Amino acid sequence: MSTGTIQYTLQERFAAPLPDFYRRRIIFWHDEEREFEDLPEALSLPGVKVVRLTGTNNFAVKKLLLHDDLTSNYLVYDPFPIQPPQENWLRDIEFFSEQYRADRTSLLMSELSIEEKPALRKAVKQYAAFFKSRERTEALRKIGCGYKEQQTLHLNVMAVLCGLPGGSAQDILIAVLSAGLDETENTALCQIRQFGNIDVFWGMVYTYTGFQYNEDTSLHDLAFHILLTALSQTMSDSVLKGLERYLSEAGQAFCYSLVLEWRGREDCSQLLSLCRDTERELKLLARFDRQETETLLTSDLFPAIHESILKRFFTEISDHVVQPKMIYQVVENRRISGWYAWFSDYYECLFQIAEMRTFYEENVGGFHLASPEMVWTFYTEKAYKMDLFYRHFHASFGCTLRNSNPVLEDGLKHTLPYVEGLYQNWYLGELSACWMNVIKEDFAALGYVSEIPRQKDFYRRFVHSSGGRSTRTFVIISDALRYEVAAELCDTITRTEKGTAKLECIQTVFPSITKFGMAALLPARSLSVNDRMEVLADGLHTRSTAEREKVLCAVNPKSVAVAYNDVLNMKRADRRSLVSGKEIVYIYHNTIDAVGDDSATEQKVFDACGEAIRELSNLLRIIISDMAGTDILITSDHGFLYTYSPLAESDKLSQECFSGTVYETGRRYALTGPSAVMEGLLPVKLEGLFAGTPIKGYAPQGATRIKIRGGGANYVHGGISLQELAVPVIHYKNLRASSKGYVEASNAELAILTESRKITNMVFSLEFFQRQPVGGKVCPCTYSVQMIDEAGKLVSERQTVIADRNHDNASERVFRVRFHLSGGVYDKEKTYRLVISNGVDLPVEIPFRIDVLGGEDFGF
């Protein structure tokens, strides 16, 4: 700083108004480096006396300022290092005086709000290379905090060098480890070494984590140390026996908190890579494989823990050992654990196997029902879920094939024989045998089951009764939307939409194929078949959307038919115009059948079912918002059968067994002349049901297929199995908030059950209670639960509770959640808060006291 600047600054300081009750101003000019030793007496400071400390005149100066002259302004020049308080004769005067420094270090400290302390001044001087860059200095200034302790300054300097806008020791370590484990290529560490203080960095690492750096260690060792020390927080010492060199009991809480913080960030790919490197180098998977499942469930730090758990279950299942209760507990535990997203499809497969096994155990004796109505009711209320479990299993299995895990891939594939055997051999075999036994006489004599509502009555029963001058009825026909898919759709729209949804079931016409089912859903007095096996309604063709619209308009001129894709591509005004003045609106949707009927894509039919649910839910919202729809029916032309594994040759029927005129053959049906005979197939009477060309029907029993040319034998329809024959009808009624019977959708509520509000251990558990069972308008909800201090700082890890249980028994809606407090000192007199939030509703905050012995204050 120039002489002129110093003189001007001091003149301003002395000329400034005095504080209250002051009669003069004394300024101590500290200049330990003696940079301006010849300057004080040469300055022109009117009305100011200059005194120089010599090291031997302290008492004389003290007498001068406190006794001899009590009115003059003084500049006291001090060229000596700051003395300890007990040796400083002038300390009492300094307390009511002002301080001045003219060196660069002092200017920096003033600019950055660094308190004038010897230790902090020494720290600033250590960072001379850092402060040579105005950009770095400005970045430190922008962090915007005052510095009273070295620790804060050290941390923020390292934060700037790591490219962070401030942060904690955790943030710095995460930044360093994210930059790679090659020290020569690690940008963050190189910046600290070049412009910071590498010893301070390693000192911080030791203080927080317990890792001792030396010439024989590396960043690899640091990563191993942090990850394994974090793991030791949640697993017993026996699991890590032989790896003690990587463990630090004092660093457990910090390392655990660091890993959880890192894993919770949007980009945790580098952490995943470090975990995988650690697992591979230290052979952790083999170590985990030797532990009990209950031991592994206490931790989720490493992805290999998931692999070890899943592997053992897949092995058991392939040996036909299935423990549903244990699987449910494991999936419940794991779905809120770290790295779950990487394994969710495998856990979903495991869960669906448990569901299938549970259904099997409940019906292990088979199905022994005496009437078609009893079998139908059993299927539409309970048994359809087996189809749903099987679909969900294969949808998730397909996801694992597209993003496979080499450790788990073969294990999951080895479960397929069990899954296919349970579904195809037991479920389809037993259920079909029971069903065929009670319906074969009706189909032979009538062509349908007499006790069950029929598809041909759909228009009269559902559309005509709900239509009329004052309302408009929408009918969505989704090709091959089988009953179990519709049941899931019904649950979805009940939860997500404002109205009510009711699911019913009718039997489709035989054969259960598109052209017959689509015709049966129209308001025709009679159906007929020509010699090309085309289906006509009251003499009108029904092949296309336009032809079906003619049939609708023949009964009600205020009708319109349109394809789903056309509605989707319309502007809102065009949608309103389409239905203006209309009473009946038919919308045709085809996602499932389009995929299933193509041999190249039939294995994706279960994915198509999920897509259909999403599309139909969206279409419902379009109808409500853009077309003012209130009465909406969702149905289908037919269902389908799908089995993943190819059928054995014994499950296929050759057409050589046919004799007589055969008009049309599918894998699950045949249409013949009245005199034709087909051995091994169930006859279906069609005389009287269809006018025109006389025909007779035949259907394979069970899941048997008829051999025909071409691929695609896994996805089939046309027969009379329950999966093909049971056609859903969802009646959705949109309601306004003011309507009678309106119920607002709500989240399942979560409340704390534990009565004590005092925590006495670093690791503690709390119980929570889901107030309502999920179902109807009560929706599943995911809650985040964490402990915070008075300043809102997190002092525990965030835990997740998924409130989605549908048990009526309240005791089965209790969650026990384990928490770990972060390392640090806790004041038992302060109030901490447990925060329960779901991101939508107002968070619930519950006061707690923390009285933990042995808390550690991390300082360095």
Side-chain angles (χ1 to χ4, degrees), residues 99-111:
Q99 308 294 317
Y100 175 73
R101 292 180 182 274
D103 58 286
R104 173 169 168 74
T105 300
S106 300
L107 293 175
L108 274 172
M109 292 177 72
S110 175
E111 177 186 353

Side-chain angles (χ1 to χ4, degrees), residues 212-254:
Q212 181 72 58
Y213 179 78
N214 57 57
E215 59 182 14
D216 296 324
T217 59
S218 65
L219 284 177
H220 279 90
D221 296 313
L222 173 61
F224 292 170
H225 175 93
I226 289 174
L227 291 171
L228 291 178
T229 297
L231 182 64
S232 68
Q233 173 89 340
T234 57
M235 276 194 172
S236 64
D237 295 340
S238 62
V239 179
L240 297 173
K241 190 173 182 180
L243 298 175
E244 288 82 3
R245 64 190 182 280
Y246 295 114
L247 306 180
S248 166
E249 185 175 353
Q252 280 182 341
F254 177 83

Side-chain angles (χ1 to χ4, degrees), residues 661-680:
T661 303
V662 178
Y663 293 115
E664 184 173 304
T665 304
R667 297 188 186 278
R668 292 284 296 162
Y669 72 95
L671 298 176
T672 71
S675 61
V677 176
M678 295 189 174
E679 297 179 4

Side-chain angles (χ1 to χ4, degrees), residues 285 288-291 296 303-313 407-408:
L285 180 58
F288 296 146
D289 285 344
R290 292 193 292 269
Q291 307 304 317
L296 296 181
I305 296 174
H306 291 284
E307 291 168 341
S308 182
I309 291 171
L310 288 164
K311 271 200 318 177
R312 63 190 63 190
F313 278 109
V407 175
L408 300 174

Side-chain angles (χ1 to χ4, degrees), residues 96 194 250 466 513 584 620 776:
F96 62 81
Q194 184 175 359
S466 61
I513 58 176
I584 307 296
L620 189 77

Side-chain angles (χ1 to χ4, degrees), residues 337-580:
S337 64
W339 308 121
Y340 175 78
W342 279 260
F343 302 95
S344 59
D345 291 316
Y346 288 96
Y347 280 111
E348 183 64 17
C349 287
L350 184 63
F351 179 79
Q352 297 305 331
I353 291 173
E355 292 282 69
M356 293 174 70
R357 175 70 186 193
T358 299
F359 180 85
Y360 169 77
E361 291 176 354
E362 292 171 351
N363 300 277
V364 66
F367 311 108
H368 307 288
L369 302 167
S371 70
E373 189 175 23
M374 291 173 65
V375 180
W376 189 265
T377 301
F378 174 65
Y379 179 74
T380 56
E381 292 181 359
K382 295 181 180 179
Y384 77 88
K385 293 180 181 178
M386 193 68 164
D387 297 317
L388 184 144
F389 302 150
Y390 183 73
R391 171 167 63 86
H392 280 302
F393 171 86
H394 275 290
S396 296
F397 177 70
C399 291
T400 70
L401 296 179
R402 293 188 288 272
N403 188 21
S404 64
N405 178 300
V407 175
L408 300 174
E409 182 177 2
D410 285 351
L412 178 56
K413 288 177 178 177
H414 288 155
T415 69
L416 286 177
Y418 177 79
V419 172
E420 298 304 307
L422 197 58
Y423 182 74
Q424 293 189 50
N425 300 338
W426 178 75
Y427 170 70
L428 288 183
E430 292 285 337
L431 187 62
S432 294
C434 178
W435 175 240
M436 294 297 172
N437 186 55
V438 296
I439 65 166
K440 58 184 178 182
E441 292 183 0
D442 267 2
F443 269 99
L446 302 172
Y448 57 90
V449 182
S450 58
E451 302 173 10
I452 298 169
R454 298 167 61 191
Q455 190 180 48
K456 82 173 192 65
D457 299 322
F458 170 80
Y459 190 92
R460 175 185 57 79
R461 182 180 172 193
F462 295 100
V463 182
H464 181 70
S465 61
S466 61
R469 295 179 181 177
S470 61
T471 186
R472 179 183 299 127
T473 300
F474 289 83
V475 179
I476 302 171
I477 302 174
S478 182
D479 204 327
L481 181 74
R482 75 173 177 180
Y483 183 80
E484 56 92 5
V485 182
E488 184 177 339
L489 172 63
C490 188
D491 288 342
T492 299
I493 60 179
T494 297
R495 290 195 307 268
T496 57
E497 304 303 325
K498 294 182 177 180
T500 60
K502 178 183 177 183
L503 176 63
E504 297 184 49
C505 193
I506 57 178
Q507 62 172 314
T508 186
V509 65
F510 180 86
S512 52
I513 58 176
T514 299
K515 61 183 176 182
F516 280 83
M518 291 296 184
L521 291 168
L522 296 170
R525 291 184 296 273
S526 67
L527 298 177
S528 60
V529 178
N530 61 24
D531 56 5
R532 295 188 298 277
M533 293 296 106
E534 295 172 334
V535 186
L536 290 78
D538 291 338
L540 298 175
H541 281 288
T542 60
R543 294 164 298 192
S544 66
T545 300
E547 289 173 342
R548 294 167 197 161
E549 183 178 85
K550 290 181 180 179
V551 178
L552 290 168
C553 290
V555 174
N556 184 340
K558 296 181 179 180
S559 300
V560 65
V562 62
Y564 162 78
N565 286 333
D566 291 339
V567 172
L568 206 62
N569 292 324
M570 287 179 182
K571 296 178 181 177
R572 298 186 68 185
D574 296 332
R575 293 169 182 165
R576 288 193 292 270
S577 176
L578 174 73
V579 300
S580 178

Side-chain angles (χ1 to χ4, degrees), residues 164 168 170-172 174-175 178 258 260-269:
L164 303 172
S168 63
Q170 279 189 6
D171 298 320
I172 293 164
I174 291 171
S178 295
L258 182 150
L260 292 188
E261 166 66 23
W262 193 355
R263 194 175 63 196
R265 296 184 178 183
E266 186 174 344
D267 181 10
C268 59
S269 58

